[in-house]
Amino acid sequence: MLFTPVTIGSLTLQNRLIRAACGERRADRAGLVTHEMLAYVDELARGGCGLVILGHGYIRRDGRLTDNETGLDRDEQVSRLGLVADQIRAGGAKAVIQISHGGAQCRPSVIETTPVSPSGVEVRKTKVVPRILEPDEIVELVADFAAAAGRVKDAGFDGVQIHAAHGYLITQFLSPASNLREDEWGGSPEKRFHFLSTLIGAVQERVGDDFPVLIKLNLDDCIPKGIPLSEALNVATAVSDLGIAAIEVSGGVVDSERGAARKGITPGKQEAYFRSMAREVKRMVDCPVILVGGLKSLPVINDCLESEDADLVALGRPLIREPRLPLDWLDGRDTPADCVSCNRCALYKDRPLRCETLVLEQEQAEKEREQGKEKEEE
Ligand SMILES: Cc1cc2nc3c(=O)[nH]c(=O)nc-3n(C[C@H](O)[C@H](O)[C@H](O)COP(=O)(O)O)c2cc1C
């Protein structure tokens, strides 16, 4: 089932396995992608997934999360981005990139100013108290998202994904925990949705009807007073009605104990921790549903697809460790991903994304080889 073609909007994928967006951290300080990025996406795309979704592309410099994040805020970035899209397609996959703004979850040390949010609610983990957005700034942000989506299209990507998950700016508008406004942008579920619906309209106007616009959405903020499931399901239905090409079901914010990338997931029952929410979304929407979160073994993945709880699956951490995992499975491998969900890959924000545990293991093996050689020589 996993290795059968599927359609997302106007896009046909060779299979249902997606590389989930994980910030690659391979851009220079101007947000321009580097040769290192090209080599990285080449490896990913040749690994056998049907679609590669690249992580956070910032729509404004003061919305970026790290100094090495891919920039989508200037036209000068488009030609190098085009090389990335071409490289992914040459590897056999389709190419999508996220448009994102970190909002209150940005770090002042990176953006060199105070992060912004709908209401100035503190991010407990970083102790950041954001500045409250003025109404005219919100309108500007909508235009910035649309301009960034236009650059993605101009660069030759096959689609764009709106990052409306994990507590970043769009989630901050959707969630009653972070949106306490009482103007047209907050105060009721409909008004909390207003930023996202306006933004989708602006993006669609910029990229046209044929260009797939996907979304990654929190169905659960995994914090007290986060978005209620019923409200999140209404958002999912509404974005599908607005013409979104696929919904990736996720959850969590920076402050949640157990968020998007949960630690220590073992193969079997712990996998697919957003499955029940994907199932509910799937029942309510017309567009394809993507399940992400803790997937690491073929039987579980195929069961999710065969029981129609999701149309596609996305893997993040497993493909950081083993970019060739999809091909290995296709070739008959029957063991789960080697990833142990330790989250060391998320630790070093100033380094390019990689499996830090694999690097440690390789260094340890090298040390043991050297010690063995020395003993033989004695
Ligand atoms: C190091 C790291 C970076 C991530 N970057 C992004 C990102 O840029 N955009 C995004 O939507 N999710 C990001 N995620 C979340 C993943 O896409 C995914 O939702 C999460 O890791 C759960 O899937 P997994 O268990 O297959 O890793 C990141 C996760 C990790 C561990």
Side-chain angles (χ1 to χ4, degrees):
M1 177 88 188
L2 180 61
F3 294 102
T4 57
V6 65
T7 301
I8 288 181
S10 55
L11 204 60
T12 301
L13 309 182
Q14 60 174 345
N15 61 51
R16 293 161 191 265
L17 204 162
I18 297 175
R19 185 271 185 169
C22 286
E24 294 74 28
R25 307 196 295 251
R26 282 171 170 81
D28 66 18
R29 290 179 77 88
L32 292 164
V33 290
T34 57
H35 287 292
E36 236 184 324
M37 176 77 158
L38 287 176
Y40 188 67
V41 298
D42 182 46
E43 208 186 358
L44 270 178
R46 283 183 201 284
C49 46
L51 172 66
V52 171
I53 304 182
L54 297 177
H56 291 262
Y58 63 80
I59 60 131
R60 280 174 68 106
R61 263 189 90 64
D62 57 5
R64 72 197 198 283
L65 299 172
T66 61
D67 272 330
N68 43 21
E69 194 172 304
T70 305
L72 299 173
D73 63 326
R74 287 183 301 121
D75 292 342
E76 295 82 65
Q77 292 147 345
V78 169
S79 62
R80 283 212 214 169
L81 281 167
L83 300 178
V84 173
D86 290 345
Q87 190 84 59
I88 293 173
R89 265 191 304 273
K94 301 288 188 206
V96 162
I97 184 167
Q98 286 188 325
I99 47 176
S100 181
H101 186 298
Q105 292 183 174
C106 291
R107 289 176 293 160
S109 57
V110 172
I111 62 172
E112 294 170 342
T113 182
T114 308
V116 293
S117 84
S119 302
V121 175
E122 183 189 28
V123 180
R124 276 185 296 116
K125 189 164 179 192
T126 56
K127 301 208 165 24
V128 165
V129 179
R131 181 176 68 73
I132 300 173
L133 284 161
E134 298 294 337
D136 58 339
E137 290 180 297
I138 297 175
V139 174
E140 263 175 44
L141 280 163
V142 167
D144 292 333
F145 268 100
R151 290 182 192 105
V152 171
K153 185 178 182 191
D154 294 346
F157 277 82
D158 299 296
V160 65
Q161 185 179 54
I162 297 172
H163 194 347
H166 307 168
Y168 299 112
L169 185 70
I170 300 175
T171 324
Q172 286 158 31
F173 272 95
L174 290 171
S175 178
S178 45
N179 185 347
L180 314 176
R181 297 180 79 97
E182 287 293 341
D183 58 4
E184 61 178 303
W185 306 104
S188 66
E190 294 72 29
K191 288 179 177 177
R192 285 194 285 277
F193 178 56
H194 188 37
F195 181 62
L196 178 56
S197 61
T198 311
L199 189 157
I200 290 173
V203 165
Q204 287 172 331
E205 198 181 320
R206 174 62 181 81
V207 298
D209 288 345
D210 285 347
F211 193 70
V213 180
L214 295 73
I215 197 165
K216 188 163 182 174
L217 196 63
N218 262 16
L219 268 291
D220 181 0
D221 295 334
C222 307
I223 46 165
K225 300 193 179 140
I227 191 162
L229 182 59
S230 56
E231 192 174 326
L233 286 169
N234 285 340
V235 172
T237 314
V239 298
S240 171
D241 291 347
L242 287 173
I244 285 292
I247 301 173
E248 186 175 351
V249 172
S250 193
V253 304
V254 157
D255 275 341
S256 44
E257 297 253 309
R258 284 162 61 74
R262 299 190 179 169
K263 276 186 164 180
I265 300 298
T266 52
K269 286 203 178 91
Q270 294 182 353
E271 289 183 54
Y273 37 80
F274 294 121
R275 181 174 180 173
S276 63
M277 290 176 193
R279 183 187 306 136
E280 295 211 37
V281 174
K282 179 116 178 69
R283 259 199 238 118
M284 297 179 72
V285 304
D286 295 326
C287 66
V289 172
I290 304 166
L291 172 64
V292 70
L295 292 158
K296 48 177 63 172
S297 64
L298 260 185
V300 172
I301 290 173
N302 277 323
D303 189 52
C304 291
L305 296 174
E306 277 155 19
S307 59
E308 296 188 9
D309 289 345
D311 301 287
L312 303 101
V313 292
L315 273 64
R317 293 165 294 175
L319 301 190
I320 298 175
R321 176 156 182 144
E322 299 174 274
R324 264 189 59 94
L325 181 62
L327 275 190
D328 289 350
W329 277 341
L330 194 56
D331 287 349
R333 169 175 163 180
D334 61 2
T335 53
D338 291 341
C339 170
V340 293
S341 319
C342 65
N343 284 3
R344 290 181 62 84
C345 51
L347 272 185
Y348 307 103
K349 307 264 187 253
D350 53 343
R351 287 187 198 164
L353 179 72
R354 61 182 193 176
C355 177
E356 297 291 344
T357 298
L358 182 62
V359 173
L360 281 181
E361 286 169 8
Q362 286 166 341
E363 285 171 0
Q364 184 62 27
E366 180 63 22
K367 218 177 185 175
E368 283 167 13
R369 253 196 312 276
E370 290 298 321
Q371 283 166 350
K373 251 198 234 160
E374 277 169 23
K375 268 201 185 136
E376 266 174 33
E377 284 164 11
E378 277 169 14

